[in-house]
Amino acid sequence: MPDLMSNSVTGLLAMQQALATTGNNIANANTPGYSRERVNLASMQAQYQNGSYIGSGVQVASVTRVYDQFITSQLNAATTTNSSLTFQNDFTTQVTQLLGDTSSGIAQQTQAFFNATQAIAANPTDATARSTFLGSAQALTDSFNRIDSQLQSLDNQIGQQASDIGRQINTYAKQVASLNGEISKAQATNPNALPNDLLDQRDQLITQISSLIDVKANPDNQGNINLTLASGESLVLNSTATNLSVGNLPSGLNITLGNTDITSRVKGGTLGGMLEAQSQLITPLRNQLGRAALVLADQVNQNQTTGVDLNGNTGTNLFTDVSAFAPQTTAQPTNKGTGSATGGYTDPTLLTGQTYLARYDGTNWQVSTVPGNGAAPLTVASGGTLSLPGLDVTFAGAPQSGDVLNILPTVGAAGKIGVVQQSPSGIAAAEAGQPAYSRDNTQIQKLFDLSSATVVGQTAAGANNGSSLSESVSSAVSQAGAFAGQVQLAAKAASATLTNLTAQQQSVSGVNLDEEAANLLKYQQQYQALSQSISSANTIFQSLLSAFR
């Protein structure tokens, strides 16, 4: 039967829970991922008495967290984009710094090498001019070597960090799967009393995963949140997480989910930013610098070996012979066969600066460019040789269907070029047939003309329709700078978007201490009023007892 005492007691108990919840909010005001909680009160069922329905007091219907799924989804997406661009921005800054400025970078050193020929052309027998020319050649190859080595070192750092990120993703995914199990059990027990702390923990883990790789959160009706990658592969399904592994090959990062290679489908997050930095900056830059180094060595050596030196002898190579270089080829870790490929250069001026992917279809290797250019793949049987622009590639071994080989014609070549001519008198400044100590400068002048000859990326041998060596190096540096500029602008925009969404999310789910202080005062006053009601009920009851004594 409802009465003043019982109604007041229900209110007192409800206010105790409201005060406890408010105190919990205040205690967790700075806890990452915490969503403020709200006590939802409901009237208890009224009872019919003396021709009327009399209220039975109040009860706590539920304690829910203040949460907006839409804002959270937007925030996770913004986190993914921001993490990707932040990594790219930091990384491109390092790359552009090592390429040098407009007065001392590798593009300027390439032109300085050719300009050094003019002192020899003016005085072909001058030992100082010849020594200076050798010094400029050494400085140029040192720059090629240093930049390629540092680019490779940065690439190796990406590999190490990406491996760590793969392990972090697996740890977080397993924790999400475990929480799915606990939350789904709680929901099955009582759909109106969900474990808010576990829900917060799971959301925080999903945000952390989103900063590493792009994932989509898909809630179901049983309390689970299933995570899929942007391309649709399942990372977490109910209480099961699929293992993700990351390796770093010469061709770039290799990412597998379970037994499936998903490298080309990974987007966003720091991991996606690493893939982007490799494919859009590191690999193209090493390709272009490697191609320039190969053409430089090939063309300068051809010039020198067709002239005569100061002693009247046939000239020798100035740079490392191109035959000492070889394209890199790597097999995918998921290959089941023993297929392999080796290659050699036929004409470096025809090299495109692209990489190639060979996929075995069970009968032949299908070879296409990376990225694809829309052309049909070239076909060659295992054991056969395929002619590509500027090089031949021979396939061997026993591949199995689906096996993949990566062919990198020019990556790393810039790190291998060196000066092999050590004698100033060995420089071939005169054309063939000239005697010793000739003052003829025909050959060294032809070498200077190479600086403007369009010999890089020709469409056919001798076509002279590509770009010059200086232009090729300058273009590589400019493209890296343009990419860095684009990333910097995009990173600023992504950071601003993330800041705005974080503010929105906090305005909904974050703890406002002023609001909580007001709630404390409100609940405290109500608690005191209810205490007074109980005291009044007790006084009335005691008076009633006294009347019957």
Side-chain angles (χ1 to χ4, degrees):
M1 176 183 296
D3 56 35
L4 177 61
M5 176 70 77
S6 62
N7 286 355
S8 299
V9 169
T10 62
L12 199 66
L13 294 174
M15 288 309 102
Q16 283 181 333
Q17 193 159 348
L19 285 167
T21 300
T22 302
N24 188 53
N25 285 340
I26 295 171
N28 286 282
N30 295 311
T31 301
Y34 178 79
S35 298
R36 67 186 177 95
E37 295 179 341
R38 178 171 56 201
V39 173
N40 301 306
L41 302 175
S43 296
M44 298 181 68
Q45 185 175 358
Q47 296 183 21
Y48 187 79
Q49 181 178 329
N50 297 327
S52 300
Y53 282 94
I54 307 299
S56 299
V58 67
Q59 64 182 341
V60 175
S62 63
V63 178
T64 58
R65 58 184 188 143
V66 182
Y67 176 77
D68 189 314
Q69 178 63 54
F70 179 70
I71 292 178
T72 299
S73 297
Q74 286 186 309
L75 182 60
N76 286 341
T79 299
T80 295
T81 301
N82 184 69
S83 295
S84 174
L85 290 169
T86 296
F87 175 83
Q88 292 180 59
N89 189 36
D90 293 343
F91 191 79
T92 53
T93 299
Q94 297 180 63
V95 172
T96 51
Q97 286 175 348
L98 71 88
L99 290 174
D101 56 30
T102 55
S103 61
S104 61
I106 188 165
Q108 289 65 41
Q109 289 184 324
T110 303
Q111 190 58 50
F113 163 74
F114 287 109
N115 291 341
T117 61
Q118 295 306 284
I120 301 178
N123 188 358
T125 60
D126 183 42
T128 300
R130 286 169 171 266
S131 294
T132 300
F133 173 71
L134 284 181
S136 67
Q138 187 63 57
L140 178 58
T141 57
D142 286 347
S143 289
F144 272 117
N145 298 163
R146 174 182 56 80
I147 291 174
D148 189 74
S149 174
Q150 290 179 339
L151 288 174
Q152 185 174 20
S153 177
L154 288 172
D155 191 77
N156 290 339
Q157 289 177 31
I158 284 181
Q160 293 170 359
Q161 293 177 34
S163 233
D164 291 339
I165 285 174
R167 287 190 285 270
Q168 289 178 37
I169 291 172
N170 288 331
T171 298
Y172 295 151
K174 288 176 182 176
Q175 290 175 355
V176 169
S178 176
L179 287 169
N180 274 345
E182 294 183 58
I183 294 169
S184 61
K185 287 179 182 177
Q187 179 168 317
T189 302
N190 185 352
N192 296 319
L194 297 180
N196 294 327
D197 55 339
L198 298 185
L199 293 171
D200 284 341
Q201 289 175 34
R202 185 173 64 182
D203 285 341
Q204 181 70 2
L205 286 167
I206 293 172
T207 298
Q208 290 174 316
I209 294 175
S210 296
S211 73
L212 302 176
I213 191 171
D214 189 10
V215 291
K216 304 299 180 187
N218 308 297
D220 62 16
N221 295 325
Q222 283 75 48
N224 300 299
I225 289 186
N226 298 319
L227 301 181
T228 57
L229 301 185
S231 52
E233 290 84 1
S234 176
L235 179 65
V236 175
L237 180 61
N238 298 335
S239 57
T240 302
T242 303
N243 191 66
L244 183 143
S245 61
V246 183
N248 194 32
L249 305 175
S251 56
L253 292 176
N254 179 258
I255 305 169
T256 56
L257 186 65
N259 296 318
T260 305
D261 187 334
I262 61 168
T263 307
S264 62
R265 302 192 290 277
V266 170
K267 306 294 180 185
T270 304
L271 192 57
M274 290 175 169
L275 283 167
E276 195 78 8
Q278 278 190 328
S279 63
Q280 299 298 317
L281 183 63
I282 292 294
T283 299
L285 188 54
R286 293 189 74 197
N287 266 329
Q288 292 182 64
L289 293 178
R291 179 175 65 165
L294 285 165
V295 175
L296 176 70
D298 176 66
Q299 294 295 297
V300 171
N301 287 347
Q302 284 190 42
N303 171 276
Q304 288 293 284
T305 55
T306 54
V308 294
D309 64 16
L310 193 59
N311 298 317
N313 300 320
T314 299
T316 58
N317 287 341
L318 176 66
F319 295 119
T320 308
D321 195 282
V322 173
S323 62
F325 297 83
Q328 294 188 58
T329 59
T330 60
Q332 291 287 82
T334 52
N335 286 1
K336 296 185 172 80
T338 59
S340 62
T342 55
Y345 301 105
T346 55
D347 185 351
T349 65
L350 301 179
L351 292 168
T352 63
Q354 292 179 302
T355 60
Y356 298 90
L357 185 142
R359 187 182 300 276
Y360 193 67
D361 63 8
T363 304
N364 296 301
W365 288 100
Q366 304 290 330
V367 182
S368 55
T369 60
V370 179
N373 57 9
L378 300 173
T379 301
V380 62
S382 185
T385 298
L386 180 65
S387 291
L388 296 169
L391 74 156
D392 287 339
V393 180
T394 300
F395 293 85
Q400 292 190 25
S401 180
D403 284 358
V404 171
L405 299 176
N406 295 287
I407 303 168
L408 316 173
T410 54
V411 168
K416 299 174 183 176
I417 188 174
V419 176
V420 296
Q421 177 59 265
Q422 300 300 318
S423 172
S425 63
I427 298 168
E431 66 178 347
Q434 294 294 324
Y437 293 93
S438 170
R439 295 187 62 80
D440 179 69
N441 66 359
T442 303
Q443 203 67 17
I444 201 70
Q445 191 60 46
K446 288 180 180 179
L447 181 53
F448 174 75
D449 293 341
L450 271 177
S451 64
S452 57
T454 51
V455 292
V456 182
Q458 295 181 149
T459 57
N464 212 31
N465 61 351
S467 59
S468 71
L469 282 160
S470 296
E471 289 171 344
S472 177
V473 175
S474 294
S475 175
V477 174
S478 296
Q479 288 178 29
F483 179 77
Q486 293 170 4
V487 166
Q488 186 178 37
L489 290 174
K492 287 182 179 178
S495 178
T497 299
L498 180 62
T499 299
N500 290 336
L501 284 169
T502 300
Q504 288 184 44
Q505 191 266 348
Q506 283 300 300
S507 70
V508 174
S509 300
V511 176
N512 184 314
L513 292 177
D514 290 337
E515 181 181 350
E516 299 303 325
N519 285 338
L520 273 180
L521 183 60
K522 178 178 68 175
Y523 296 143
Q524 182 181 4
Q525 289 175 340
Q526 192 168 353
Y527 188 92
Q528 290 171 343
L530 289 164
S531 298
Q532 186 62 43
S533 295
I534 294 174
S535 177
S536 297
N538 182 58
T539 300
I540 293 171
F541 182 69
Q542 292 299 327
S543 298
L544 184 62
L545 287 178
S546 297
F548 286 95
R549 286 176 182 167

